[in-house]
Amino acid sequence: MTNDYGILLESGTNELEVVEFEVQGNKYGINVMKVKEIIQPMPITYIPHAHAHIEGIIQLRGEVLPVIDMAKVLGMQPSENQSTDKYIVTEFNQQKVVFHVQNVTRIHRISWNDIEKPSEMYQGGNNQIIGVIKINGNMILLIDFEKIVVDINPHSGIHIDQIKAMGERKRSEKQIVIAEDSPLLRKLLHDTLHEAGYDRVEFFENGQLAYDFLESTLEQENTFEKVQILVTDIEMPKMDGHHLTRRIKDHPVLKQLPVIIFSSLITDDLRHKGTGVGADAQVSKPEIARLVQYIDELAL
């Protein structure tokens, strides 16, 4: 079953489609934009001394792909009856990864506004849940697949060394606004941008809060003295990055503000979505050095 579902959604509508899957009867979700296809399980080659969450590797149309066991990731038992097991083939952060789940049930189309941020009480410091979707009396937990992959392979994340490799940097007075819902990534971006010379960085945990802040600057004399550039993730509760970009580029004044989309979802198949809403640049996580180059070029 090959999926190009994400292409069906018009960019900037603040909606997403979620593939619902199950592990031990619990319902979880993954953004369709990450999903390349859903396939039946196939023979796995075991890799000695691999990370505990890695089942092994498969060969799919000539590509060798790692298979991650979602039951192990979530601290659950493998399925007793594997007849409904599926492999979700994904692409994000410039890599393809297969997730072994125990059932794929359906696809939901929802608004980012309907996704609740997890409470810190049950989220904990090492949790993989980034959102809660309530549908027909059920709860679907949105999983942080980027975190799962970075936990297995830390080299696939954002690293300050990429900035150090750019050489000596001058301190900048330019103000950057960043919309990013992951506390871990906000911290990484803060540290790496500081290393790159940017100290005036204001963070918001979703697109709605960032947009409200930008609108509030319009009441002052010159918005663009307060903000010189916006950097936004795509996947965020309340308002996603594509919708945020469209709102800014449709605004009579704010449209002058350069917008960079910095997301794990910048792939050849999905780049047109950012272009369609007017983004000035798009950078795939974890390419922090390229993000800094674009900020250097585009900041007003």
Side-chain angles (χ1 to χ4, degrees):
M1 179 164 95
T2 300
N3 291 344
D4 287 320
Y5 314 116
I7 311 301
L8 302 175
L9 271 179
E10 186 190 350
S11 293
T13 60
N14 209 39
E15 291 178 306
L16 78 157
E17 287 173 321
V18 172
V19 176
E20 178 188 314
F21 65 89
E22 292 182 353
V23 178
Q24 288 296 335
N26 296 284
K27 298 178 186 298
Y28 302 97
I30 179 170
N31 189 340
V32 160
M33 289 173 73
K34 289 189 170 81
V35 178
K36 298 293 285 182
E37 56 185 318
I38 297 165
I39 61 173
Q40 298 296 337
M42 54 196 292
I44 284 183
T45 301
Y46 173 74
I47 303 291
H49 309 299
H51 190 283
H53 296 165
I54 298 279
E55 276 189 63
I57 53 176
I58 61 169
Q59 184 170 300
L60 185 63
R61 288 188 287 282
E63 286 189 280
V64 175
L65 304 177
V67 179
I68 295 175
D69 185 347
M70 284 303 292
K72 286 184 178 172
V73 169
L74 297 166
M76 296 183 179
Q77 295 298 312
S79 51
E80 294 169 14
N81 173 15
Q82 297 186 354
S83 62
T84 61
D85 283 23
K86 293 286 188 293
Y87 284 177
I88 301 178
V89 183
T90 67
E91 183 178 12
F92 56 90
N93 274 6
Q94 299 183 314
Q95 54 193 334
K96 289 182 182 173
V97 179
V98 180
F99 292 92
H100 179 185
V101 303
Q102 294 174 3
N103 199 2
V104 173
T105 42
R106 54 178 298 189
I107 293 170
H108 301 278
R109 184 168 179 167
I110 53 170
S111 166
W112 280 106
N113 211 29
D114 295 332
I115 297 174
E116 288 190 19
K117 185 177 173 237
S119 155
E120 289 180 10
M121 171 84 66
Y122 59 80
Q123 185 180 29
N126 199 31
N127 203 293
Q128 290 107 348
I129 307 303
I130 53 173
V132 180
I133 306 165
K134 293 183 287 191
I135 296 178
N136 302 328
N138 292 316
M139 284 195 293
I140 299 170
L141 304 180
L142 265 187
I143 300 282
D144 188 345
F145 286 90
E146 286 90 342
K147 183 177 188 303
I148 292 169
V149 171
V150 171
D151 285 348
I152 293 170
N153 176 22
H155 294 295
S156 65
I158 290 170
H159 289 284
I160 211 159
D161 292 348
Q162 294 171 276
I163 303 300
K164 291 179 176 172
M166 297 175 77
E168 192 68 32
R169 303 273 308 174
K170 291 180 180 174
R171 307 318 290 172
S172 171
E173 286 300 308
K174 290 185 174 176
Q175 171 95 0
I176 304 169
V177 165
I178 297 183
E180 168 61 67
D181 68 318
S182 162
L184 174 68
L185 273 168
R186 289 199 295 269
K187 174 76 167 67
L188 285 169
L189 284 168
H190 174 275
D191 294 349
T192 47
L193 288 172
H194 173 77
E195 182 71 23
Y198 291 104
D199 295 318
R200 300 182 63 210
V201 184
E202 188 127 16
F203 288 92
F204 296 93
E205 63 181 37
N206 63 58
Q208 184 67 60
L209 292 172
Y211 187 78
D212 291 346
F213 171 75
L214 292 173
E215 275 210 311
S216 74
T217 65
L218 295 172
E219 297 161 13
Q220 297 154 26
E221 287 196 13
N222 188 350
T223 294
F224 306 111
E225 282 179 8
K226 186 152 181 68
V227 184
Q228 276 85 41
I229 196 161
L230 171 81
V231 177
T232 181
D233 188 18
I234 293 176
E235 298 180 283
M236 297 179 289
K238 301 298 179 194
M239 186 190 291
D240 74 357
H242 283 144
H243 190 63
L244 171 62
T245 304
R246 170 171 277 178
R247 291 280 297 274
I248 288 167
K249 293 304 180 181
D250 284 349
H251 193 283
V253 178
L254 292 176
K255 65 182 180 184
Q256 301 171 56
L257 187 69
V259 177
I260 303 173
I261 297 177
F262 183 55
S263 167
S264 65
L265 294 175
I266 306 302
T267 63
D268 290 341
D269 289 344
L270 296 171
R271 190 174 288 273
H272 71 279
K273 288 179 170 286
T275 304
V277 292
D280 295 275
Q282 299 179 76
V283 183
S284 173
K285 292 174 181 173
E287 291 192 334
I288 188 71
R290 182 170 289 185
L291 174 66
V292 168
Q293 287 168 350
Y294 274 126
I295 292 172
D296 292 346
E297 288 172 29
L298 293 171
L300 295 171

